[in-house]
Amino acid sequence: QLQASGGGSVQAGDSLRLSCAASGSIFSIAAMGWYRQAPGKQRDLVASITNGGTTKYADSVKGRFNISRDNAKRTVALQMSSLNPEDTAVYYCNADITSGVPPTLRMHWGQGTLVTVSS
């Protein structure tokens, strides 16, 4: 139900925008966010945003990344700037979605999109 796009290979200092769209029979979406997992490391939160627009960022990306969402389109985006090699990872979008009958809240994950930053 979550489809991510926008990854790629860039140079240090470049910008990149990731997008993620939710689809299907959805009753509501609460928090949405982006996580990343570098090789050999755990998956960590990069940024999250509530349906009211409250955002949270990992310290390592504050001031460089910006998360936004369009509730009507059921999308979440991550604008990344001043990228550095430490940002290299597979990025996963995430959303708390209520769907089904009866309506049930579940955490959903996108398929992951690779971001590679070279120096």
Side-chain angles (χ1 to χ4, degrees), residues 16 25 32-33 39 62-63 67 69 73 77 88-89 97 105-107 112 116 118:
L16 201 61
S25 299
M32 304 182 83
K62 284 180 180 177
I67 189 171
R69 66 187 282 173
K73 295 182 179 179
T88 295
I97 297 174
L105 175 65
R106 292 189 180 92
M107 178 181 291
T116 303
S118 56

mmCIF file of all heavy atoms in Angstrom, residues 16 25 32-33 39 62-63 67 69 73 77 88-89 97 105-107 112 116 118:
data_model
loop_
_atom_site.group_PDB
_atom_site.id
_atom_site.type_symbol
_atom_site.label_atom_id
_atom_site.label_comp_id
_atom_site.label_asym_id
_atom_site.label_seq_id
_atom_site.Cartn_x
_atom_site.Cartn_y
_atom_site.Cartn_z
ATOM 1 N N LEU A 16 18.215 15.673 -3.294
ATOM 2 C CA LEU A 16 17.404 14.581 -3.827
ATOM 3 C C LEU A 16 16.061 14.619 -3.113
ATOM 4 O O LEU A 16 15.993 14.978 -1.925
ATOM 5 C CB LEU A 16 18.102 13.241 -3.583
ATOM 6 C CG LEU A 16 17.728 12.039 -4.440
ATOM 7 C CD1 LEU A 16 18.028 12.326 -5.913
ATOM 8 C CD2 LEU A 16 18.526 10.829 -3.982
ATOM 9 N N SER A 25 -7.847 0.935 -0.107
ATOM 10 C CA SER A 25 -9.021 1.382 0.645
ATOM 11 C C SER A 25 -8.582 1.793 2.048
ATOM 12 O O SER A 25 -8.486 0.961 2.942
ATOM 13 C CB SER A 25 -10.058 0.269 0.705
ATOM 14 O OG SER A 25 -10.498 -0.092 -0.589
ATOM 15 N N MET A 32 3.256 9.596 9.302
ATOM 16 C CA MET A 32 4.012 9.093 8.158
ATOM 17 C C MET A 32 5.470 9.444 8.382
ATOM 18 O O MET A 32 5.783 10.415 9.094
ATOM 19 C CB MET A 32 3.516 9.709 6.845
ATOM 20 C CG MET A 32 2.043 9.498 6.587
ATOM 21 S SD MET A 32 1.498 10.175 5.001
ATOM 22 C CE MET A 32 1.959 8.837 3.890
ATOM 23 N N GLY A 33 6.355 8.686 7.777
ATOM 24 C CA GLY A 33 7.755 8.991 8.016
ATOM 25 C C GLY A 33 8.688 8.283 7.067
ATOM 26 O O GLY A 33 8.255 7.545 6.183
ATOM 27 N N PRO A 39 24.189 -0.229 5.104
ATOM 28 C CA PRO A 39 24.709 -1.615 5.149
ATOM 29 C C PRO A 39 25.284 -1.956 6.510
ATOM 30 O O PRO A 39 26.113 -1.216 7.056
ATOM 31 C CB PRO A 39 25.788 -1.604 4.065
ATOM 32 C CG PRO A 39 25.365 -0.544 3.115
ATOM 33 C CD PRO A 39 24.735 0.520 3.957
ATOM 34 N N LYS A 62 18.870 17.245 10.696
ATOM 35 C CA LYS A 62 18.233 18.528 10.992
ATOM 36 C C LYS A 62 18.905 19.659 10.213
ATOM 37 O O LYS A 62 20.133 19.756 10.166
ATOM 38 C CB LYS A 62 18.300 18.819 12.493
ATOM 39 C CG LYS A 62 17.310 18.023 13.318
ATOM 40 C CD LYS A 62 17.428 18.361 14.799
ATOM 41 C CE LYS A 62 16.437 17.550 15.621
ATOM 42 N NZ LYS A 62 16.570 17.809 17.073
ATOM 43 N N GLY A 63 18.082 20.487 9.606
ATOM 44 C CA GLY A 63 18.599 21.600 8.823
ATOM 45 C C GLY A 63 18.951 21.236 7.390
ATOM 46 O O GLY A 63 19.214 22.122 6.574
ATOM 47 N N ILE A 67 10.654 17.103 5.684
ATOM 48 C CA ILE A 67 9.568 16.165 5.411
ATOM 49 C C ILE A 67 8.270 16.931 5.249
ATOM 50 O O ILE A 67 8.021 17.914 5.956
ATOM 51 C CB ILE A 67 9.455 15.099 6.527
ATOM 52 C CG1 ILE A 67 8.472 14.001 6.115
ATOM 53 C CG2 ILE A 67 9.076 15.739 7.861
ATOM 54 C CD1 ILE A 67 8.474 12.799 7.066
ATOM 55 N N ARG A 69 3.904 16.390 3.774
ATOM 56 C CA ARG A 69 2.876 15.446 3.352
ATOM 57 C C ARG A 69 1.715 16.181 2.732
ATOM 58 O O ARG A 69 1.464 17.353 3.037
ATOM 59 C CB ARG A 69 2.418 14.569 4.520
ATOM 60 C CG ARG A 69 1.712 15.287 5.623
ATOM 61 C CD ARG A 69 1.454 14.363 6.822
ATOM 62 N NE ARG A 69 0.332 13.476 6.614
ATOM 63 C CZ ARG A 69 -0.008 12.477 7.456
ATOM 64 N NH1 ARG A 69 0.723 12.269 8.549
ATOM 65 N NH2 ARG A 69 -1.054 11.706 7.213
ATOM 66 N N LYS A 73 -3.704 13.809 -1.115
ATOM 67 C CA LYS A 73 -3.107 12.887 -2.075
ATOM 68 C C LYS A 73 -2.513 11.658 -1.409
ATOM 69 O O LYS A 73 -2.067 10.729 -2.076
ATOM 70 C CB LYS A 73 -2.023 13.597 -2.890
ATOM 71 C CG LYS A 73 -2.552 14.711 -3.768
ATOM 72 C CD LYS A 73 -1.431 15.346 -4.582
ATOM 73 C CE LYS A 73 -1.978 16.448 -5.482
ATOM 74 N NZ LYS A 73 -0.900 17.096 -6.278
ATOM 75 N N ALA A 77 6.726 13.226 1.415
ATOM 76 C CA ALA A 77 7.947 13.479 0.667
ATOM 77 C C ALA A 77 9.080 13.829 1.620
ATOM 78 O O ALA A 77 8.851 14.335 2.718
ATOM 79 C CB ALA A 77 7.741 14.611 -0.329
ATOM 80 N N THR A 88 24.169 7.698 2.690
ATOM 81 C CA THR A 88 23.967 6.538 1.834
ATOM 82 C C THR A 88 23.248 5.436 2.599
ATOM 83 O O THR A 88 23.693 5.010 3.665
ATOM 84 C CB THR A 88 25.310 6.016 1.314
ATOM 85 O OG1 THR A 88 25.899 7.004 0.456
ATOM 86 C CG2 THR A 88 25.130 4.720 0.538
ATOM 87 N N ALA A 89 22.124 4.984 2.050
ATOM 88 C CA ALA A 89 21.306 3.982 2.727
ATOM 89 C C ALA A 89 20.117 3.628 1.836
ATOM 90 O O ALA A 89 19.852 4.306 0.842
ATOM 91 C CB ALA A 89 20.803 4.498 4.072
ATOM 92 N N ILE A 97 -1.591 3.310 9.070
ATOM 93 C CA ILE A 97 -2.793 3.357 8.236
ATOM 94 C C ILE A 97 -3.917 2.559 8.864
ATOM 95 O O ILE A 97 -3.715 1.414 9.291
ATOM 96 C CB ILE A 97 -2.495 2.811 6.822
ATOM 97 C CG1 ILE A 97 -1.455 3.696 6.127
ATOM 98 C CG2 ILE A 97 -3.772 2.732 5.987
ATOM 99 C CD1 ILE A 97 -0.993 3.154 4.791
ATOM 100 N N LEU A 105 -5.824 -0.290 12.677
ATOM 101 C CA LEU A 105 -4.603 0.503 12.516
ATOM 102 C C LEU A 105 -3.400 -0.423 12.422
ATOM 103 O O LEU A 105 -3.177 -1.266 13.291
ATOM 104 C CB LEU A 105 -4.436 1.457 13.702
ATOM 105 C CG LEU A 105 -3.140 2.276 13.747
ATOM 106 C CD1 LEU A 105 -3.084 3.242 12.569
ATOM 107 C CD2 LEU A 105 -3.032 3.023 15.064
ATOM 108 N N ARG A 106 -2.645 -0.280 11.350
ATOM 109 C CA ARG A 106 -1.424 -1.063 11.173
ATOM 110 C C ARG A 106 -0.312 -0.171 10.656
ATOM 111 O O ARG A 106 -0.572 0.815 9.961
ATOM 112 C CB ARG A 106 -1.648 -2.204 10.166
ATOM 113 C CG ARG A 106 -2.584 -3.294 10.611
ATOM 114 C CD ARG A 106 -2.560 -4.467 9.638
ATOM 115 N NE ARG A 106 -3.465 -5.536 10.059
ATOM 116 C CZ ARG A 106 -4.720 -5.623 9.655
ATOM 117 N NH1 ARG A 106 -5.220 -4.718 8.834
ATOM 118 N NH2 ARG A 106 -5.481 -6.618 10.074
ATOM 119 N N MET A 107 0.914 -0.560 10.948
ATOM 120 C CA MET A 107 2.069 0.141 10.410
ATOM 121 C C MET A 107 2.421 -0.506 9.066
ATOM 122 O O MET A 107 2.546 -1.727 8.970
ATOM 123 C CB MET A 107 3.256 0.053 11.361
ATOM 124 C CG MET A 107 4.523 0.730 10.836
ATOM 125 S SD MET A 107 5.915 0.578 11.970
ATOM 126 C CE MET A 107 5.348 1.620 13.310
ATOM 127 N N GLY A 112 11.317 0.449 -0.099
ATOM 128 C CA GLY A 112 12.701 0.896 0.035
ATOM 129 C C GLY A 112 13.246 1.431 -1.267
ATOM 130 O O GLY A 112 13.007 0.867 -2.338
ATOM 131 N N THR A 116 22.478 6.710 -2.857
ATOM 132 C CA THR A 116 23.929 6.568 -2.792
ATOM 133 C C THR A 116 24.565 7.935 -2.999
ATOM 134 O O THR A 116 24.298 8.598 -4.004
ATOM 135 C CB THR A 116 24.442 5.592 -3.863
ATOM 136 O OG1 THR A 116 23.803 4.329 -3.704
ATOM 137 C CG2 THR A 116 25.952 5.410 -3.723
ATOM 138 N N SER A 118 28.155 9.854 -3.234
ATOM 139 C CA SER A 118 29.591 9.680 -3.395
ATOM 140 C C SER A 118 30.323 10.991 -3.126
ATOM 141 O O SER A 118 29.801 12.076 -3.389
ATOM 142 C CB SER A 118 29.909 9.163 -4.789
ATOM 143 O OG SER A 118 29.380 10.019 -5.770
#
